[in-house]
Structures are given as C-alpha cells and as structure tokens.
Amino acid sequence: MSDFLQFRALSKGYPGVQALADVSFGVARGAVHGLMGENGAGKSTLIRLLSGDQRADAGDILIDGSVQTYASVRDAFEAGVIVIHQELQLVPELTVAENLWLGRFPARAGVLDRKRLLSEVGARLRDVGIDVNPSAKVASLSIGERQMVEIAKAVMLDARVIALDEPTSSLSSKESEILFSLIARLKARGTVILYVSHRLDEVFRLCDSLTVLRDGKLAAHHPDLSRITRDQVISEMVGREITNIWGYRARLHGEVRLKVENLSGDRLPRPIDFEVRAGEILGFFGLIGAGRSEMTRLLFGADSRRTGRVVIDGRAVAPDSPPASIRAGLVLCPEDRKHDGIIQSRSVEENIAISARRLFSPFGLVQPRKEAELADRFIGQLRIRTPSRQQDIVHLSGGNQQKVILGRWLAEAGVRVLVIDEPTRGIDVGAKSEIYALLYDLAAAGMAIVVISSELPEVMGITDRIQVMCGGQITRQFERAAYDEREILSAAFPDTRQSLP
Amino acid sequence: DVKIGFVVKQPEEPWFQDEWKFAEVAAKEKGFQLVKIGAEDGEKVQSAIDNLGAQGAQGFIICTPDVKLGPGIVAKSAANNLKVMTVDDRLVGADGKPLEAVPHMGISATKIGEAVGQAIVDEVKKRGWDPKTVGAIRVSYDQLPTAVDRVEGAISVLKANGFPAANIFDAPQAKTDTEAALNAATTVLNKHAEIKNWVAFGLNDEAALGAVRATESVGIAPENVVAVGIGGAESAINEFKKPKATGFVGTVIISPKRHGYETAINMYDWVANGKQPEKLILTAGQLALRSNYAEVRKQLGIE
Amino acid sequence: MQSLKKILLGEQGLVVIFALAFVLVSITVPNFLTERNMLGLLQSVVTIGIVSCTMMFCLASRDFDLSVGSTVAFSGMVAVMASNSTGSILLGLLAAITCGAIVGVINGVVIARFRINALITTLATMQIVRGFALISSDGRAVGINDPAFYDLALTRILGVPAPVWVMGLFFVLFGFVLNRTVFGKNTLAIGGNPEAARLAGVNVVTMRIWIFALQGLVCGVAGILLASRITSGQPNAATGLELSVISACVLGGVSLAGGRAAMTGVIVGVLIMGIAENVMNLLNIQAFYQYVVRGMILLLAVLLDNLRVSAATMSRR
Amino acid sequence: MQSLKKILLGEQGLVVIFALAFVLVSITVPNFLTERNMLGLLQSVVTIGIVSCTMMFCLASRDFDLSVGSTVAFSGMVAVMASNSTGSILLGLLAAITCGAIVGVINGVVIARFRINALITTLATMQIVRGFALISSDGRAVGINDPAFYDLALTRILGVPAPVWVMGLFFVLFGFVLNRTVFGKNTLAIGGNPEAARLAGVNVVTMRIWIFALQGLVCGVAGILLASRITSGQPNAATGLELSVISACVLGGVSLAGGRAAMTGVIVGVLIMGIAENVMNLLNIQAFYQYVVRGMILLLAVLLDNLRVSAATMSRR
Ligand SMILES: Nc1ncnc2c1ncn2[C@@H]1O[C@H](COP(=O)(O)OP(=O)(O)OP(=O)(O)O)[C@@H](O)[C@H]1O
Ligand SMILES: Nc1ncnc2c1ncn2[C@@H]1O[C@H](COP(=O)(O)OP(=O)(O)OP(=O)(O)O)[C@@H](O)[C@H]1O
Ligand SMILES: [Mg+2]
Ligand SMILES: [Mg+2]
C-alpha cells in the first residue's frame, strides 16, 4: 500500500546547521504517526516544511501520491494541510473567535460575517472542551488555555493532514485526554496526523507508527509501534540506554527554607500558604488555569502582590521586585519561554549570563572570558545544540531554548530557593533525566526546590511532596509515600472539591 | 470694542516678536485688543483667520508664509467679514501680480538684498581688495522664495561691481540656523582654499554669522572676511559687542517699529474710524555697522 | 455612582473624558462654542484628520510613515499644476490621487518586499518627494487658474464646508474597514503578531503594500483639499504633519507596538490636537508659552488615559 | 576571492562597504580628501555624533527620544546665560549639563515609571523644552560675554579641534560601555525582551531612567559645544536633530525593535550622513536636488546593507 503522506529525501539547512538531511518516510491514511527525537533533531523543521512556511533545500513532500509544490502557508491550506507550531501562534490583541478564523475569516465582499464568526466558534470550543468566552481577548488566557485555542484552530477545518508540534507541552492530563479523543475522531475520518512529542507515554498510547530523527537524519522508522519497546525508542533517540528517566534519589530535609504566608494577588484572590525545607523538592500539580503559574509569579515578585509575605531562612523578601528576590536567593524559571524567558536577538551566551554576571563583574565591567566559560559549561552540561555560543537564541530549537533558560538559573550561585515552572517543557527524554539528576544534586546541597508541572508522571516521579491546586487554591497535599495517581487527579478537578462560599 | 489680529509666519523669529511688541504699544495707546497668532503654513493661516472671526475681531494684519496664499486669504477674510492688511510680504494673485486692493506695508526682499550687496561692495573697496580675487559665499535657503530674492538682490549688486560670477559660491543650508550655515560655508571654504579674501551674505543674520564662524574655524583672519547680515536682531548685536571685531561687518536693519506700530495704528483707524489706509507704504532698510549700530537702532526706534 | 464609574473607566472612557473636557472648555473659554468657531476648528483639523485614518492602519500593522507631509504637499502641487495645464480640474484631481498612491506603493514595496526599515524608507521618501515638490515648481507656490478649484473647499452642504464632510466620511469609512472587514482584522493581526498572521496564511507583504498605498492615496485627497483651501499648491506645505498625525493616533490609543487601534480614539486624538491650538489662540496665549502648553496638554492627555486604564484594572480586582 | 567575500559579508561588512565608498568618493570628488575638508566634515557631525552615542542606548532598549534637539538648544542657552550671569564659564557648563540631565531624568521617570508612551512623552518635552529655551531669552540669541568660551570649540589639539576630540572620546567611551559593561549588556537585554530582562533581575525601570538621564546629559555637552561653535546661545538651534540622529543610528544597524546595536555601525551611520551633505555641497548640487539625493543615499545605504545580510545568509547555506 502506498503511503498517503510521503517525505522524499528532504533536506534543509540553516547557517551553521544541517537541520534535516535526506529524510524519507511515509505515513498511511488514517494513521497517527509519531515523530520523536532529541532537541534540535529537526522535528519542527520538518513540520515547518510541511506547513508551507519554509521551503526545503532539496526533496519532495507528496500527498496522496502527488508532489506538493506549495510556496506559502495559504497553498498548504488549500492542499489540506494544517499545522500547529511548537510556539503558540496567536494574536494576543484579537479575540479567541478572531484568532480561530484568522487567515480565513467568513466574509462577503471583504465584510465580516459577524454572526458566523461567533456562532460556529462557540460550538467548536465546547467541542475541544475549553471553557473560554469566544469574545475574550487571547491576551487574557493562560498558556494552557491558549494551547487549547490553538488546537481548536487546527481541528476547525477539514484537513487531510494535521501536524501537531508538541501540543501537550503545557497541558495537564485532563486536557490531554480531550486532545486524544479529538485525535481519535479525526483519525476515524481518515485524516493523517503527524504527532511530535517528548512524552513517550503519549506516543505509545496514541500512535500507530513512529519515526525517530537524530541530528537531522532518519534514525529509525517503525511502521508498527506495537512491536517495539520504549527503551528501544529512547536508545534510538539518545544513542544510549536510559533505564529510569526519573532516577529519584531520596535526600534528608533540613530546616524550613521558604515560608509563604497569605500570598494573594489579582489573579489569585484567595491567599495561599506553604513551606519548603532545605533539600526538599516540592511539586505543584493542577489543571490549566489552576493558578500555579500565577502563584510563582507572585512569589517571585513578577506580579504585584495584594497580600502576603515570603520568608527565606527567616528573612522576609521585599515584595514585587524580581531583583530583590534574586538577591535574596529566590529565582524563578518562568513557564512562557517566548514571552518571559528568551531575550530575542541576543546570543546564547548572553542569555545564560544575564543574571549571573553581576556576581563576577567588578565595577560593572563584564568579563567576556568568564561569560564564555559559563556558557560553555552549560552548553556542555545541558547538551544544548547550537553551532556556537554566539548564536542568536531565536535560531535554537524550542527545547534547546528551554535548556538555555534553565542554564541561566542554574548558573546563579547562592540560590536558596529555585522555582521552576514547567521545567522540562519541550525537553527530550535524555536531557530530562540529566536535568532531574541536577535538581537532586542541588537539593542535596541544601537548596529548596519548587517544581510546577502539568505532567503528572513527572511531578510524581521527581518530587518529595505534592500540593494540588484547583481554582486558585491548594486543595490537597500528598507525601511521596502516599502518592496515588487517581487521588491526585481527583483533587485537581473542580467538581470533586467542596465548593466554598 | 476693537479687536485686531496680527498674524505672522514665524512667531519664534525675533523680527516678528518685535513687530508684535510694537503693535502692542499701538494697542495700549489706542486702547484696542491685539490678538497675536503664529501661522507657519497655509493651513494654519486659514484656521487663524477663522479663529479671529470667531473671536469677533474686526480686522487683521498678516505677514503671510507665502505670497501665493493671496486669494485664499482675501476670500477667507471676506467670509469672516474681516478687514485685512499685509506687512513685510505682499500678497499676489494666481497670475503672480500683487493684489493691489490689499493695503500693504513692507520692503521688497530684492531691495534689502541690494542694500546688503552695496554694503559689501563699499567695505571691499575700503579694504582695497580686488573684486576679481574675492570669493563670495551665498548662504542659500532656496526653499524660501524671500530668501532667494534677498540673496539674488545682493548678487546683482556684486556682479555690477566687478565680482566675477565664477567666484560666487553657493552654500545651501539645510535649515535656517547658524549651525547649518556654518557647516555649509565650511565646505565652500575648504573647497577653495586658495582664495584669501571672502565676502558672505544670506537670508538673515544667522546665515551670515554661520559663514563668519566657518571662516574662523578654518583659520581665516577677520581682516580677510566681510559678511553682512539682514535683520539687526540680537545675534548681530552680540557680534558687534564682542571685544574684537569679527568678519561680520554690518547688518541691514529693517525697522520692526514701523511695521508693527504703524500697521496696527492704520488698521485701528480703518476699523474704528473708517479711514482707509494707504494702499502701499514702502519702508527702507538701514545699514548698521559695528561703529554705529547703537545710533541706527535708536533712530529706528528699537531699544 | 457605580454606573458613573463604569462609564468613566469603560472602553469608551477616553471619549467620556474628552467630552467632559470639551464641556469645561466650552464654559470657560469665550467664543469657543460658537458655530463659526466650531466650523473653523473642524476645518483646521481636516488634513490631520484625514491622514490619521490611514496612519491608524499603518501603525496598527506595526509600520510607520514619515512621508505623509511631503506627499500631501506634493499631491497638492500636482493637483494644481495638472489642473492648470490640462484645464480640467477632474484630471488634476485624478493625477494628484494617482501620484499620492504611487508614493505609497513605492513605500510599501520597499518596506514590505525588500524588508527595509520603515523609518528609514519613509524618511527617505519624505525627502525625495519634498524634493520633487520643490523642483517641479522651482520652490515657489503655484496659483490656481480656474477659480472653480476653490469651490472644493468653499462649497457648503447643510452649512458645513465640504472638506469637513470628506473628513467625516473618511472617519466612518475607515472605522468600518477597521472593525468590520477582513482587511481591518488582518491589519490588527499583522500588528499584534506578524509571525502568527503569516503562519495563518495572511499575505503579510501584500497587506502592508496595500496599507501604504491607501495611505498615499488618502494623502493625495488631503493634498487636494489643502490646495483648494489655501488656493494654491505650495511645496512647503504640511511640513511636520507626520508627527502631528502620529501623535493624534497615539493619543487616541493606537499602539506603536501594533495590534491596537480604534477609530473613535483617533477622532478624539485629532480633536484634542485641534482644540488645543484653537483654545490657545482664543485665549491669546503667547507664542513661546504655546509650546509649553502644547507639550503639557499632550502629556496630560496620555497621563489621564493611563490613570483611567490603571484605575479600571484596580476596580476590576 | 573567498576571503574577500568573507570580509565583505562578515560582521564588519557595513564598515568595509563604507570604506570602499569612502575611497571612491575620495578619488572622484575633488577637494574631498584634503585635511581641511576632513576636519570641516568631522566638525559638522559633532552634534549628531555625540548625541547618537546615547540615542543608540535609547533605541537599543526599545525607547525613543524626540526631545534631543530641544535639549541641545536649551542647554546651550543655559550654558551661555549662566556663564554670563555668574562670570564663570565652569559654572555655566555645569548648569548646562545639569539642565540637560534634568530633562533626561524627567523623560525617563515619566516614561519608565508612569509607563507613558515614549514617543508622546518626548514629543511633549521637545515642545516644552523648546518653549523654555525661547522664553528664557525672549526668543533671541544670547551672546557670550567671556571670549574664553569660544576657545572650547577653537582649541586644537594636535591640529584637531577640541569638539572632534570630544566626539571621538564619546565614541570610545560609549562603545566600551555598550560592549564591556553590565549597563550596556542590560540595555541590550531590555531591548531584546523587556519582560524577560525584568524577570532575569534587571531593574528595567531604573535602567531606562538612567539611559534617558545619560541622553540628557550628553545633549547638554553637545549643546555647550554647539554654543561655543556658533559663539552664542540660540533658542532655534538644532531643530530636526532628533530625526538625523535616529537615522544615523538606524543606518548603523541599531534596531528600532531593540536589542541590537554596535558603536562602529553608529559611527559609520554618522559619517554617512555627514559625507552625504559634504559631498553634495562640494559637487555643488542644487538645493532642491539635494533633497532627492539625500533620500536616495539613505535608501541606498540600507539597501546595500540589506543585500549584504541576505547574501551572507545565502552563502552560508
Ligand atoms: N531559523 C533558524 N536558523 C538557524 N538554525 C535554525 C533555525 N531554525 C532551526 N535551526 C536549527 O535547526 C536544528 C533543528 O531544529 P528543530 O527546531 O527542527 O528541532 P526540533 O527537533 O524541533 O527540536 P525541539 O525538540 O527542541 O523542538 C536545530 O539545531 C536548530 O538550532
Ligand atoms: N495575562 C493574563 N491576564 C488575565 N488573566 C490571566 C492572564 N494569564 C492568566 N490568566 C488567568 O489566570 C488564571 C490562572 O492562570 P495560571 O497561568 O496561573 O494557571 P496555571 O495553573 O499555571 O495553568 P496553565 O497550565 O494554563 O499555565 C487562569 O484562569 C487564566 O485565565
Ligand atoms: Mg521543535
Ligand atoms: Mg502554568
């Protein structure tokens, strides 16, 4: 049987990088095809070529046997190809409905059909199971909600091919389930789905076939996923065996390091209290919009607090000032890397050194040699794939950008409390296990670590204690010994919670 | 209650400030109200006239940003039922002929330029230079028709007195301030390093001063420079007050007193007593030198 | 009380604040609220008002246009010269609008197709076009042969001069285009997130060229009306217009970072600029102090709007 | 061949292209490459050059400053008036620099602390400060009593006038600050992504205020030198300076979207502006055509740079 979607000898290079080299594979009609590989392996590049946004240096894309020659995103639409890119592509100032229709507004003679604009959207949003007002501005949504909007955008039209580049990277299990059922429906319609993810569980559950990329080349192609094991895929991706991704190591916990009292803010009206001990890794779990990210931002001083005190080792931290927090040893690795993390048009080196450099710049004079050393250290340690430390960060793959941001905070000396929001968003399995190992080391050295994650296995795998949030409140707490997937999940769902007056 | 408008094209210029000042004196004397409006371009002139009409003024005096605005100004004044007089620049119709019906007081730009040219020629003769060997810097701002007329006036006199056309060099200034003139003139001086004696003139004192600064910065002695400005405002007086004489030998002062005071009085008489002003009054510029500027200013009623 | 607050702090807050200020000025400044003065005021903002319509689109799509002043002057000259030489006013008008649109298209192509910085490009065309205006007439104003040309500006419909009608029409038209058409939404999308717009299949390059072309065309219209009002084509007209127009837009809440624009806001911005000038002249404020007052009004207007927005955020807490 | 390509397309490509153009002009334009003309050229760009140094920081941090021209004029006036009234030139200079810095701080506080749009704020201060300059002297030029003041501009060190030395010093100093200090790096980071920089512990508000304060201070220095060159304080000086300075920076590769800047680029930008004027005057190009030529040169310079960049991308593929 000839494949419905085929890539033939596809190559694509960027300055200094061969992102794809001679990649060929095919996907059968109605199949969900996984695409895996380390960060920077070339997955997003492949998707970008498919989307019509960029053109291959060599090679062809075939749909239903015919070579596609489209030169723009529009052409790709016409050919029935729809893509969700890794970085969310929404216009914050437009409403949810307008974003869903962007590029194909319902109109007569250029005049918008405003009824259709709203009516069909409401149904579609209910369909993908998110509860947002179609006339709300996208700027007012949380990352997770935005991701769901992006998904709704892709499934709105009948497409022959849908490619999803890490659609679940900031979704928790509930939303992921909704996505999976949508995918099942599309599949039943005969749509070909290309699915990029770093979450092995998902891939094995969802996909019929799988391609593994490595260094831009085809590393393996598995037409039937039921015949192989996860470990096999990992070693194909990483080139070595990783037996236990989490690699959890128990540690002794010391004195209370971080004490949060009565913390509240505009988007988190009900006060929150908790403590973290030295050496402890505390996890926060919740569904999208539960308020975890907002909590970390208030904690760090990125947003202004309404009430609350944050105490580190018995000393209160000045509110509403990131610099003060950093000086007190409290750092936050934010969730939205594009908006809050990477510093566009600056190099990898500068992105790593920006915060830590104050520690080794006498009289405000920078030390280029030291900064280079620092950058090289983390490029090595986190295995950041970049042609050089001078590369502009926007040219890195998503996962590698995330690693740079992590590196920025790991480079900080004197940190007592490390707060990481979605630490491994978009990071590959190999790097993940190394990052976890690093976290254990830091904790063992006495740091208090707070990890926010939407990936339940991750939270359960690496933390000592979990606090579950729902509707802006901490609903339950679990000690590691008492971790139970079902109970944690149920604590995160609003309907199982006693509704407060 | 008599209310009279006084609209000028460049309210920041000292010249117009002075016109306004003297008009104010007239207003105090006769007890009418003076409304001063700056209007830098045709559009502003239109709204200024509307504005005067709305305030209930009976007439106004205007120095227009462009003489071709004539028909528009006349029409707008009629629509607002305002009497109109012009000062400094005379309105022309679409055919380029002066609008005789509008009373005017002024001095022709060409005449001023000729006065400048004459002053330069006199000084050159006094210093005993051979006009054939003298370089002339024409600091120009050709965007402004008045500026063209002034410098052309000066050039016509220079040529008539034996300055070769080939030695008159254009130094176009990008703006009308001293720095722009300085930069433009410097280029000319450097291009003709062989010329020893220089004369310079331009649209106003600032232009001439820029040329003088340029000669100083390239190291030409004041004895070898003759620059004559137009206006006689503070920047020129400052130059005369300097302890050592510079290349800026004189300026053609035009009296803002007559232009401000007399036009205002005439307009008042027209409005209050129905006495039509003379259709055309031409005033003269007067040359002020380092040696006599104080007297000249006193004569003209400045100070 | 509560509803008053709502009105003040709502979406239309700027309009309400403006209305309050207007009433205040009407009461305190003599001769302000007369029909004559109102018409004069409206006429004085015609050029800014018309050009603001398209500048709004330009800014909303994260672009920038400094060449509007020169284009207005140039197309005014063209209108007059073409009318004079062909003897037909209609041909003159067509020529002017065409020239304006050509300048716009050139801006658009250079900026969008060759990806040259908009500031530099329009600064360059600003100079070049001004140069053409000066060269074509040797730096002097050109008078209009056929007095019928004046009628464009003098005709009154229901007592209101034609240019004011044109401005009103443009306000309505471009307000509609911004909010109710695909073109408007795409403009906002390009400004809000160009990458997203491109990936959603919006033809960003074509859109940007269109926006600049429209801008040029509208400058052509403004140039014609201006020439008719000042009864001549003047090469030095409308200098500094670009900054006034951009200020009016920004005052009206158009974001320079793109993606945000509203016609009502721009109208208010234009009127604020016009009223400030008008009142200063009515109050006979001295020329030098006018600078200071003008600056203060600008600051005050954005400050007030800012306070309003932050107060609104507060109250919604 | 290969290495030639490398030089042309490398980081310093703009500089190399500029150098080639310079050689070309030197050969073809008579009187260009004389010591006198070179010194004249350098002196003519002193104001633009000095102010560009800090404007580079301002743009690199995604800000914008239109008030520089007014501030230069105002602080020039202050220098002269304070020198005259105290009899001490030193006090005059201090007063001027202080006034400049105060304007800058006000800009910075309003923009960074009250979060008012930079364009509007500096447009407002541009007017207000110009107003002050006019009011303080009743719109007239103020002469300098003590001739020693002129020496600031006339003194030559090794045959080169002092203002040129000052400009050179500023180039070196601010180049160093940009590349080698935390201040410079943080400026670029703020421009790259203000929110991310804030979360990385950069005190964005303070930084922005500092940048504006520096800008004001440097305008003060430029104002003093200008006053000394034209031997008086002139309230109308330096109009339009803001656009020239911003153009020089953008020509030199400073991104208006922030995050990208280089001192060598800005120096080249400044020199391009100066050489263009100089050569046009040397070649005796008519005033009206100068507009056109000036615009063309601007366009050509960015276009060339653009071609260079895209060629570089191509060749590395
Ligand atoms: N515009 C660009 N310029 C230069 N290099 C680029 C550009 N885009 C991608 N690359 C490089 O191409 C390679 C492949 O990137 P790609 O985004 O396809 O990786 P990926 O497999 O999607 O990784 P991730 O899992 O981190 O998303 C990376 O090394 C990246 O640095
Ligand atoms: N910029 C914003 N403006 C207004 N409301 C916002 C904004 N960002 C988030 N919210 C709202 O605040 C609430 C909490 O969001 P938060 O980002 O803290 O949730 P979260 O638990 O981290 O979930 P997610 O996985 O979606 O990031 C959500 O309901 C969201 O709609
Ligand atoms: Mg990717
Ligand atoms: Mg979150």
Side-chain angles (χ1 to χ4, degrees), chain A residues 53 74 98 112 114 266, chain C residues 180 185 193 198 201 317:
Chain A
D53 175 37
R74 262 229 115 73
E98 286 164 349
L112 290 174
R114 298 211 294 174
D266 288 350
Chain C
R180 295 298 196 80
K185 290 293 171 195
N193 187 346
R198 190 170 57 86
R317 277 185 186 173

Side-chain angles (χ1 to χ4, degrees), chain A residues 195-214:
Chain A
Y195 190 85
V196 179
S197 175
H198 288 295
R199 297 184 181 176
L200 274 167
D201 298 342
E202 271 172 31
V203 171
F204 271 84
R205 192 179 133 191
L206 209 58
C207 298
D208 307 299
S209 49
L210 175 73
T211 296
V212 178
L213 293 179
R214 216 168 122 199

Side-chain angles (χ1 to χ4, degrees), chain A residues 98-260:
Chain A
E98 286 164 349
N99 265 287
L100 289 174
W101 284 108
L102 184 59
R104 40 181 187 269
F105 283 113
R108 202 169 303 132
V111 178
L112 290 174
D113 182 345
R114 298 211 294 174
K115 229 185 253 149
R116 245 184 94 201
L117 188 72
L118 281 176
S119 65
E120 296 192 12
V121 163
R124 193 57 67 180
L125 288 173
R126 274 192 297 282
D127 215 26
V128 303
I130 63 163
D131 176 27
V132 298
N133 179 356
S135 7
K137 289 224 164 108
V138 162
S140 69
L141 304 184
S142 79
I143 290 280
E145 288 163 334
R146 291 184 199 192
Q147 187 131 36
M148 292 305 281
V149 171
E150 188 83 73
I151 288 167
K153 194 166 142 188
V155 297
M156 237 171 98
L157 290 191
D158 281 335
R160 298 198 285 172
V161 176
I162 294 185
L164 306 165
D165 196 350
E166 300 195 32
T168 55
S169 65
S170 44
L171 298 188
S172 70
S173 37
K174 176 187 161 209
E175 295 81 24
S176 301
E177 290 302 332
I178 296 172
L179 174 65
F180 298 159
S181 66
L182 279 172
I183 289 179
R185 261 164 47 200
L186 291 169
K187 182 177 161 175
R189 282 210 306 243
T191 313
V192 166
I193 291 163
L194 206 57
Y195 190 85
V196 179
S197 175
H198 288 295
R199 297 184 181 176
L200 274 167
D201 298 342
E202 271 172 31
V203 171
F204 271 84
R205 192 179 133 191
L206 209 58
C207 298
D208 307 299
S209 49
L210 175 73
T211 296
V212 178
L213 293 179
R214 216 168 122 199
D215 293 343
K217 297 187 205 65
L218 191 80
H221 182 70
H222 303 287
D224 187 356
L225 209 53
S226 54
R227 303 207 178 165
I228 51 164
T229 65
R230 296 173 189 217
D231 288 345
Q232 202 178 337
V233 173
I234 291 177
S235 69
E236 279 165 3
M237 273 168 58
V238 188
R240 65 198 149 90
E241 300 267 322
I242 296 178
T243 41
N244 181 358
I245 299 174
W246 316 122
Y248 178 80
R249 280 184 259 140
R251 278 149 276 110
L252 288 178
H253 300 170
E255 294 292 302
V256 171
R257 263 253 127 103
L258 171 71
K259 198 169 157 82
V260 176

Side-chain angles (χ1 to χ4, degrees), chain D residues 59-285:
Chain D
L59 297 179
S61 66
R62 267 198 216 183
D63 270 319
F64 211 80
D65 192 349
L66 294 178
S67 68
V68 289
S70 302
T71 312
V72 166
F74 180 56
S75 43
M77 302 280 300
V78 170
V80 174
M81 292 194 297
S83 298
N84 285 354
S85 68
T86 63
S88 149
I89 291 182
L90 196 73
L91 281 182
L93 303 194
L94 277 180
I97 291 179
T98 314
C99 281
I102 289 175
V103 174
V105 169
I106 292 175
N107 275 336
V109 169
V110 173
I111 292 169
R113 180 91 54 207
F114 302 150
R115 295 150 180 272
I116 307 289
N117 179 288
L119 185 99
I120 293 282
T121 305
T122 56
L123 196 70
T125 43
M126 160 174 145
Q127 310 252 19
I128 295 174
V129 172
R130 182 72 68 183
F132 283 157
L134 288 164
I135 292 170
S136 63
S137 66
D138 204 21
R140 288 151 208 271
V142 183
I144 297 170
N145 290 343
D146 184 349
F149 201 107
Y150 314 153
D151 295 342
L152 289 176
L154 290 177
T155 311
R156 291 180 175 235
I157 305 165
L158 305 176
V160 175
V164 176
W165 281 108
V166 174
M167 176 172 74
L169 186 79
F170 274 43
F171 283 157
V172 173
L173 181 71
F174 283 101
F176 181 83
V177 170
L178 183 71
N179 295 316
R180 288 306 194 82
T181 66
V182 174
F183 187 84
K185 296 284 179 188
N186 283 351
T187 302
L188 291 166
I190 291 176
N193 186 345
E195 182 62 12
R198 186 174 77 93
L199 294 182
V202 176
N203 198 331
V204 177
V205 173
T206 320
M207 279 287 301
R208 291 173 79 195
I209 295 178
W210 265 108
I211 292 172
F212 276 104
L214 261 183
Q215 171 94 286
L217 192 146
V218 165
C219 285
V221 175
I224 291 169
L225 291 176
L226 182 61
S228 159
R229 282 180 66 216
I230 60 181
T231 68
S232 59
Q234 302 211 349
N236 292 325
T239 46
L241 179 69
E242 51 284 351
L243 281 186
S244 309
V245 169
I246 293 174
S247 311
C249 287
V250 176
L251 262 182
V254 179
S255 159
L256 281 181
R260 218 166 303 165
M263 195 73 238
T264 44
V266 171
I267 296 175
V268 168
V270 168
L271 290 179
I272 289 178
M273 307 277 293
I275 292 179
E277 295 291 322
N278 184 271
V279 168
M280 284 195 300
N281 285 347
L282 284 179
L283 293 180
N284 224 338
I285 294 180

Side-chain angles (χ1 to χ4, degrees), chain C:
Chain C
M1 186 59 219
Q2 200 53 36
S3 64
L4 178 75
K5 214 168 159 188
K6 224 179 211 159
I7 292 173
L8 269 182
L9 303 175
E11 272 285 303
Q12 300 298 320
L14 185 68
V15 179
V16 177
I17 289 182
F18 168 77
L20 290 180
F22 187 88
V23 170
L24 194 79
V25 170
S26 307
I27 295 171
T28 54
V29 179
N31 300 315
F32 178 75
L33 199 66
T34 59
E35 192 193 326
R36 274 172 81 172
N37 190 49
M38 282 299 109
L39 288 181
L41 178 100
L42 287 176
Q43 278 179 283
S44 74
V45 295
V46 162
T47 310
I48 296 187
I50 290 181
V51 179
S52 293
C53 291
T54 40
M55 186 61 90
M56 173 178 76
F57 280 79
C58 202
L59 297 178
S61 66
R62 268 198 217 184
D63 271 318
F64 212 80
D65 192 350
L66 294 178
S67 69
V68 288
S70 301
T71 312
V72 166
F74 181 56
S75 41
M77 301 279 300
V78 170
V80 174
M81 292 193 298
S83 298
N84 284 354
S85 67
T86 63
S88 149
I89 291 181
L90 195 73
L91 280 182
L93 303 194
L94 277 180
I97 291 179
T98 314
C99 281
I102 289 175
V103 174
V105 169
I106 292 175
N107 275 336
V109 169
V110 173
I111 292 169
R113 178 93 54 210
F114 302 150
R115 295 149 180 271
I116 308 288
N117 179 288
L119 185 98
I120 293 282
T121 306
T122 56
L123 196 69
T125 42
M126 160 173 144
Q127 309 252 20
I128 296 174
V129 172
R130 182 72 69 183
F132 284 155
L134 287 164
I135 292 169
S136 63
S137 66
D138 203 22
R140 316 225 160 207
V142 183
I144 297 170
N145 289 345
D146 184 350
F149 201 108
Y150 310 157
D151 293 343
L152 289 176
L154 292 177
T155 312
R156 292 181 173 234
I157 304 164
L158 304 177
V160 175
V164 176
W165 281 108
V166 174
M167 176 172 72
L169 186 80
F170 273 46
F171 283 157
V172 173
L173 181 71
F174 283 101
F176 180 84
V177 171
L178 182 72
N179 294 316
R180 295 298 196 80
T181 67
V182 176
F183 188 84
K185 290 293 171 195
N186 282 349
T187 302
L188 290 170
I190 290 176
N193 187 346
E195 177 80 359
R198 190 170 57 86
L199 292 176
V202 176
N203 196 330
V204 178
V205 173
T206 321
M207 278 288 302
R208 291 174 78 193
I209 296 179
W210 266 108
I211 292 172
F212 276 103
L214 262 184
Q215 171 94 285
L217 192 145
V218 165
C219 285
V221 174
I224 291 169
L225 291 177
L226 182 62
S228 158
R229 287 179 57 219
I230 61 180
T231 65
S232 56
Q234 303 220 345
N236 290 322
T239 46
L241 179 69
E242 51 283 353
L243 282 187
S244 310
V245 169
I246 293 174
S247 311
C249 287
V250 176
L251 263 183
V254 179
S255 158
L256 282 181
R260 215 171 314 159
M263 195 73 237
T264 45
V266 172
I267 297 175
V268 169
V270 168
L271 289 180
I272 290 178
M273 307 277 292
I275 291 180
E277 296 292 322
N278 184 273
V279 168
M280 285 196 299
N281 286 340
L282 284 180
L283 293 180
N284 218 344
I285 293 180
Q286 234 201 296
F288 301 159
Y289 290 91
Q290 290 209 2
Y291 277 90
V292 178
V293 174
R294 213 178 287 136
M296 295 286 183
I297 289 175
L298 266 184
L299 264 190
L300 206 74
V302 275
L303 231 120
L304 264 182
D305 193 42
N306 202 56
L307 279 184
R308 190 185 61 74
V309 172
S310 40
T313 332
M314 294 283 234
S315 76
R316 270 193 238 135
R317 277 185 186 173

Side-chain angles (χ1 to χ4, degrees), chain A residues 14 17 19 39-45 48 86 198 395-397 399:
Chain A
Y14 296 109
V17 186
N39 294 128
K43 305 178 294 292
S44 299
T45 304
R48 275 199 291 271
Q86 185 170 10
H198 288 295
H395 294 150
L396 261 51
S397 77

